[in-house]
């Protein structure tokens, strides 16, 4: 396998991690992966225009992208920021944004601490923001607001970077969403929630449950191997996925994951951090049943897998009492 | 004096060079020999890059090399002014036949054949090495004990003492250096390579009578498997064969560069082919060959000609190693590691994983416990700690309970017993709970 390849079958602009780094992410159960992608199936999948509307609903649009201008107005009597929206652009990309929606988004934003009375809507395309504060801090507030306002998300899901319309197999359209937020994407209008998948395993576990996470692990490993032309029997991946999810949450194959998976002290001590495990076990007075393979090898008994799964017992026959001597005359 | 030196007995200059090699002077160094090579499948002993060699070529000196090793000893001078000395050899006594090669001064003479276990320096060291200063001349013979140096070579090698050098080191002690030489003939397992990265081990040695021969009666020295060509694409080797064949026929050393320059420093394949045709060979370098075994001609034309082959220093005599049972490491009582210490081969973690995947439980038990370090311990059923066996009373006794009432015997790996005792030294108590087998 080549070490770092980035490519995506079909869409040239998308980058997916493949190869050894991706397998490492999957096996370690990484909470944060480099290219999380959600594949969303569309309800109406033969029309580009409807696809674009759904894309507009999902893709994160910031105020800086839709505003024509964000200007500081400073006169002797008032100090405010005037925001003018670019209505033609908004119409062309079929988003449905107007000043009221912008006002709601600004109020919802946690970093900008403003209240209802500070934002005034002039008409559908213009609004004014009045920052509070006395005369000495007004300058600082104005400039701080001017820097923060373009980053306010007015439409779409915050955790989504961008969405790309993909024509898969040259027949149907679906949407490839870069970013996290599977639950919100599934609930968006126009997206078939039941057929939406993600390649981020921890997210699938949080949204859809542990069995879905197990299936996702299998699919992801299969996809990574298939893109390098290698096919592995599904049973190996099923074994790995079962091992990672049998405790109820997705545990990676690292020293933290194995520590949560296993109860045996000797096996953990033989893996990593020997002294720590032994000292902790002696402090809590732990018992180790010699059941696993590593412990059996340490203690020198045959392991209880394969040929060691059974023991042979021998039936001892009762040896008859033999008497030597002449037969009795009178029986 | 070098500690290890390899020399080729009959080096030859390559038939095909390039202008760059001649500028540097590399062709004057003689690193190999021009062997007549036939590229064909023969005998089945040439799979996976192995080569088949001609026994009569080896008899005539192809690929012979000389290995020279240095052995040294120092006449130590100790703190009390006593020093080692070298005495003349004994002619009678039970050590006399090991001292046959020693000269009258106690050192082996140059030119003597030395075998394993022969003594080559008859040195004696003083018994008392510390204490008050004594004069070294007045010590009687009984104050010395023998510390002879014996030769430890592999069995079957007849080495010769090549040179003996006497010198002094920086504390002006007498330092003696022996250079021991051994001529090695190529055998099955020695590594050879052409100049194109086609390395291979000698697979088998076949008599010249069984080797294929051409119409002019030429037998190749080496037979190379054609499977080495397709994936490696070493076209340079094929051009070297053509150029060498043309060079041998017309008497001029050819140049094997890939670029045919008008300055005459490179030869094009077309010109080489024309030379070959002029001297009666085929333009492609292929010859009409008869089989040596049946005498009938082979049904295909065989690519045959001279290629420069080098002998590499990986020889099977230096690598072959076997052990049944032998020395053990003192700390863990497991077999030692390495060929020099007569060690065993390790069944490592990955090999253990493969055996687990097969379910071969008894095989793991045998490899990792029975053949490695089994140790019988007495375990007390009450306290779970290890006891000891009293040979006079013939029972096991527990050291903590101070009686032998509840002792069971079991087998543990010695490394496990060591682990438990080391943990006990750190105040962590591993107690064993036993059940019926």
């Amino acid at each position: 396998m080549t070490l770092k390849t980035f490519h995506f079958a079909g869409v040239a602009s998308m980058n997916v991690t493949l190869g050894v780094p991706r397998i490492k992410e999957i096996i370690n159960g990484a909470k944060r992966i480099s290219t999380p992608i959600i594949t969303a199936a569309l309800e109406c999948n033969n029309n580009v225009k409807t696809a674009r509307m759904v894309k507009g609903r999902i893709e994160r649009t910031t105020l800086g992208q839709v505003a024509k201008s964000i200007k500081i107005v400073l006169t002797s009597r008032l100090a405010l920021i005037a925001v003018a929206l670019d209505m033609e652009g908004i119409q062309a990309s079929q988003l449905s944004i107007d000043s009221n929606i912008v006002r709601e988004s600004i109020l919802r934003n946690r970093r900008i601490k403003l209240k209802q009375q500070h934002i005034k809507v002039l008409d559908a395309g213009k609004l004014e923001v009045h920052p509070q504060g006395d005369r000495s801090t007004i300058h600082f507030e104005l400039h701080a607001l001017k820097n923060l306002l373009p980053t306010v998300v007015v439409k779409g899901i915050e955790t989504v970077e961008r969405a790309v319309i993909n024509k898969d197999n040259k027949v149907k359209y679906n949407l490839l969403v870069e970013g996290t937020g599977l639950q919100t994407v599934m609930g968006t209008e126009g997206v078939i929630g039941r057929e939406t998948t993600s390649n981020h395993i921890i997210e699938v576990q949080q949204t859809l449950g542990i069995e879905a996470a197990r299936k996702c692990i299998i699919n992801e490993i299969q996809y990574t191997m298939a893109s390098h032309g290698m096919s592995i029997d599904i049973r190996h991946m099923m074994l790995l996925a079962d091992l990672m999810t049998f405790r109820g949450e997705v545990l990676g194959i690292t020293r933290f994951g194995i520590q949560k998976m296993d109860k045996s002290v000797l096996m953990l001590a033989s893996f990593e951090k020997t002294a720590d495990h032994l000292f902790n076990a002696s402090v809590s007075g732990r018992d180790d049943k010699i059941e696993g393979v590593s412990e059996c090898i340490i203690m020198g008994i045959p392991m209880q897998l394969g040929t060691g799964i059974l023991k042979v017992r021998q039936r001892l026959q009762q040896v008859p009492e033999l008497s030597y001597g002449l037969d009795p005359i009178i029986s | 004096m070098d500690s290890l030196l390899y020399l080729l007995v009959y080096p030859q200059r390559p038939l095909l060079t390039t202008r760059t090699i001649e500028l540097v002077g590399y062709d004057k160094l003689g690193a190999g020999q021009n062997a007549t090579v036939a590229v064909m499948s023969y005998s089945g002993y040439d799979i996976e890059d192995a080569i088949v060699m001609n026994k009569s070529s080896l008899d005539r000196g192809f690929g012979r090399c000389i290995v020279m090793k240095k052995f040294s000893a120092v006449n130590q001078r100790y703190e009390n002014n006593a020093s080692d000395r070298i005495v003349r050899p004994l002619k009678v006594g039970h050590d006399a036949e090991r001292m046959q090669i020693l000269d009258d001064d106690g050192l082996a003479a140059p030119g003597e054949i030395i075998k394993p276990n022969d003594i080559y320096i008859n040195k004696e060291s003083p018994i008392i090495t510390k204490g008050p200063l004594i004069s070294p001349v007045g010590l009687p013979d009984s104050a010395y004990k023998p510390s002879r140096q014996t030769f430890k070579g592999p069995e079957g090698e007849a080495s010769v003492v090549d040179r003996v050098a006497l010198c002094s080191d920086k504390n002006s002690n007498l330092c003696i250096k022996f250079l021991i030489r051994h001529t090695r003939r190529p055998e099955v397992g020695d590594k050879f390579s052409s100049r194109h990265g086609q390395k291979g081990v000698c697979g088998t040695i076949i008599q010249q009578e069984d080797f294929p021969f051409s119409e002019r009666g030429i037998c190749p020295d080496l037979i190379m498997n054609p499977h080495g060509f397709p994936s490696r694409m070493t076209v340079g080797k094929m051009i070297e064969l053509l150029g060498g064949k043309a060079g041998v026929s017309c008497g001029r050393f050819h140049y094997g560069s890939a670029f045919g320059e008008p300055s005459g420093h490179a030869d094009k394949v077309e010109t080489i082919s024309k030379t070959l045709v002029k001297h009666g060979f085929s333009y492609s370098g292929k010859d009409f060959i008869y089989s040596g075994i049946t005498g009938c001609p082979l049904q295909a034309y065989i690519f045959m000609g001279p290629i420069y082959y080098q002998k590499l220093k990986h020889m099977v005599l230096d690598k072959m190693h076997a052990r049944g049972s032998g020395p053990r490491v003192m700390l863990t009582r497991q077999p030692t590691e390495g060929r020099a210490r007569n060690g065993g081969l390790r069944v490592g973690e990955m090999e253990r994983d493969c055996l687990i995947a097969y379910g071969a439980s008894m095989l793991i038990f045998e490899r990792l416990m029975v053949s490695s370090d089994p140790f019988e311990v007495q375990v007390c059923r009450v306290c779970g700690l290890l006891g000891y066996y009293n040979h006079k009373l013939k029972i096991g006794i527990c050291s903590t309970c101070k009686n032998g009432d509840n002792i069971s015997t079991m087998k543990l790996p010695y490394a496990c017993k060591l682990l438990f005792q080391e943990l006990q030294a750190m105040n962590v108590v591993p107690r064993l709970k036993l059940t019926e087998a």
Side-chain angles (χ1 to χ4, degrees), chain A residues 266 278-279 282 287 293-294 297-309 311, chain B residues 352 356 359-362 364-365 368-369 411-413 416 419-420 423 426 428 432-433:
Chain A
L266 285 175
L278 290 169
F279 293 155
S282 71
D287 262 3
V293 177
S294 290
I297 292 180
I298 291 178
M299 297 300 295
I301 55 181
M303 64 180 189
Q304 285 153 23
L305 285 180
T307 31
I309 212 169
K311 285 199 178 131
Chain B
R352 172 200 77 126
I356 293 175
S361 149
M362 294 316 259
I364 295 183
F365 177 65
L368 263 55
M369 159 82 172
K411 268 204 157 88
L412 277 184
C416 182
L419 172 70
F420 287 166
L423 286 177
M426 286 195 286
V428 173
L432 293 166
K433 273 197 217 151

Side-chain angles (χ1 to χ4, degrees), chain B residues 24-197:
Chain B
V24 179
Y26 195 68
D27 55 332
K28 307 255 184 327
L29 287 176
Q33 285 149 343
N34 291 297
T36 309
V37 176
V39 179
M40 58 189 279
S41 297
Y42 190 76
S43 83
Y45 281 88
D46 54 359
I47 309 283
E48 292 276 354
D49 292 331
I51 51 185
V52 175
M53 303 192 78
N54 184 344
K55 180 162 181 291
S56 311
S57 299
L58 298 181
D59 290 338
R60 292 180 210 119
F62 178 75
R64 281 201 196 197
C65 73
I66 300 178
V67 181
M68 303 226 243
K69 293 202 181 115
K70 177 180 89 162
F71 294 89
S72 68
V74 178
N75 253 4
Q76 278 258 348
R77 188 185 299 274
Y78 301 97
E79 306 160 319
N80 58 352
N81 230 7
S83 68
D84 299 340
R85 65 177 192 186
I86 305 188
V87 292
R88 95 181 23 203
L90 306 165
K91 297 290 182 213
V92 287
H94 73 99
D95 267 345
E97 63 272 354
R98 296 203 304 163
M99 297 206 211
Q100 274 176 341
I101 57 168
L102 292 175
D103 221 356
D104 279 338
D105 60 353
L107 303 171
E112 294 277 354
I113 299 182
I114 188 170
K115 289 188 284 299
N117 268 348
D118 276 350
I119 299 172
Y120 58 93
I121 301 183
N122 196 13
K123 197 162 69 130
E124 284 184 350
S125 314
I127 301 182
I128 307 170
T129 54
K130 296 199 222 297
L133 294 177
I134 44 173
S135 82
V137 211
L139 280 177
D141 277 347
S142 58
Y144 284 95
K145 66 171 185 331
S147 61
R148 306 174 183 132
Q149 299 238 357
T150 36
F151 178 62
K152 289 185 194 42
E155 276 294 329
E157 268 202 351
S159 320
V160 182
V161 178
D162 192 59
R163 217 186 299 172
V164 182
L166 299 163
C167 52
S168 55
D169 62 1
K170 53 184 187 310
N171 301 335
S172 66
N173 298 331
L174 180 68
C175 187
I176 310 163
K177 295 186 190 170
F178 282 80
L179 198 64
I180 298 200
R181 156 192 98 222
H182 179 232
T183 306
R184 288 191 188 167
R185 191 194 139 110
E187 52 174 340
V188 174
D190 284 350
K191 196 167 177 181
F192 289 85
S193 166
S194 69
R195 288 182 292 174
H196 303 271

Side-chain angles (χ1 to χ4, degrees), chain A residues 39 41-42 54 140 145 159 164 176 185 208 211 235 251 257 270-271 281 292 295 306:
Chain A
T39 310
L42 296 169
V54 183
F140 176 70
L145 264 182
T159 45
V164 174
L176 294 169
V185 170
L208 296 171
E211 288 288 331
R235 284 169 186 78
L251 299 167
S270 75
F271 182 56
E295 301 92 82

Side-chain angles (χ1 to χ4, degrees), chain B residues 419-436:
Chain B
L419 172 70
F420 287 166
Q421 284 183 325
E422 283 182 349
L423 286 177
Q424 282 175 337
M426 286 195 286
N427 258 342
V428 173
V429 179
R431 292 186 201 265
L432 293 166
K433 273 197 217 151
L434 303 179
T435 56
E436 271 302 309

Side-chain angles (χ1 to χ4, degrees), chain B residues 203-230:
Chain B
T204 180
I205 302 179
I206 296 192
Q207 318 261 10
Q208 181 162 353
E209 299 88 67
D210 293 335
F211 249 50
F213 54 95
S214 74
E215 312 171 290
R216 298 183 191 203
I218 300 178
C219 270
D221 299 317
L222 229 60
I223 295 189
M224 196 192 121
N225 198 337
H227 286 92
F229 278 106

